[in-house]
Amino acid sequence: MPFAKIEVLRPRPAREVAAMIDAVYIAQLQALKLPEDDKQIRYVEHQREHFPVPPGKTENFTFVEIQMFPGRSLQAKRNLYQGIVQGFGKLGIASTDITIVLHEPPLENWGIRGLPASEVDLGFDLKV
């Protein structure tokens, strides 16, 4: 049940936005072994004055932030990073223009159906 946010500066056509969302979704499915209906991804396009590009990056700079349950292995995270970079690469976004940050709040810090996630059957394995 990760929540992902893709933040960009450069406007893109709707089909490219959909392809970016799909790239993150497919990478999550494959690397994290999620259920196929688990697609919580937002796309945010900033105005130039609200999104300074870091030094050495281009206007294609893309920031991906993912909040997810803890427990995935380093290899699963590597696979996630690589999957996102490969998917974005097909859209002409260089790996040097992509930054990905994962946040893994403890399960008790996720509220699901009025309970801490640590007390809910999640329906999938976090140990991948």
Side-chain angles (χ1 to χ4, degrees), residues 1-75:
M1 182 176 147
F3 287 90
K5 181 171 45 173
I6 304 165
E7 296 186 62
V8 301
L9 168 65
R10 185 174 68 76
R12 292 181 164 81
R15 66 181 177 356
E16 195 171 318
V17 171
M20 291 178 77
I21 291 171
D22 285 345
V24 172
Y25 176 61
I26 290 166
Q28 288 179 340
L29 285 177
Q30 293 174 347
L32 306 179
K33 311 296 185 221
L34 298 177
E36 288 197 22
D37 62 346
D38 198 351
K39 189 175 187 179
Q40 303 292 325
I41 303 167
R42 294 172 287 156
Y43 178 89
V44 180
E45 188 177 286
H46 293 279
Q47 296 176 14
R48 184 167 300 278
E49 60 272 14
H50 297 165
F51 193 67
V53 175
K57 308 293 183 190
T58 73
E59 71 171 12
N60 274 330
F61 177 64
T62 304
F63 181 68
V64 179
E65 190 171 23
I66 301 173
Q67 296 192 56
M68 62 185 205
F69 297 143
R72 276 59 175 235
S73 68
L74 178 56
Q75 188 58 49

Side-chain angles (χ1 to χ4, degrees), residues 15 21 26 54 57 71 85 87 98 104 107 113 121-124 128:
R15 66 181 177 356
I21 291 171
I26 290 166
K57 308 293 183 190
V85 167
I98 302 167
E104 298 179 285
L107 287 174
R113 295 174 277 212
D121 178 10
L122 300 173
F124 56 92
V128 298

Side-chain angles (χ1 to χ4, degrees), residues 91-105:
L91 300 168
I93 303 169
S95 62
T96 54
D97 272 332
I98 302 167
T99 298
I100 303 165
V101 176
L102 298 181
H103 300 280
E104 298 179 285

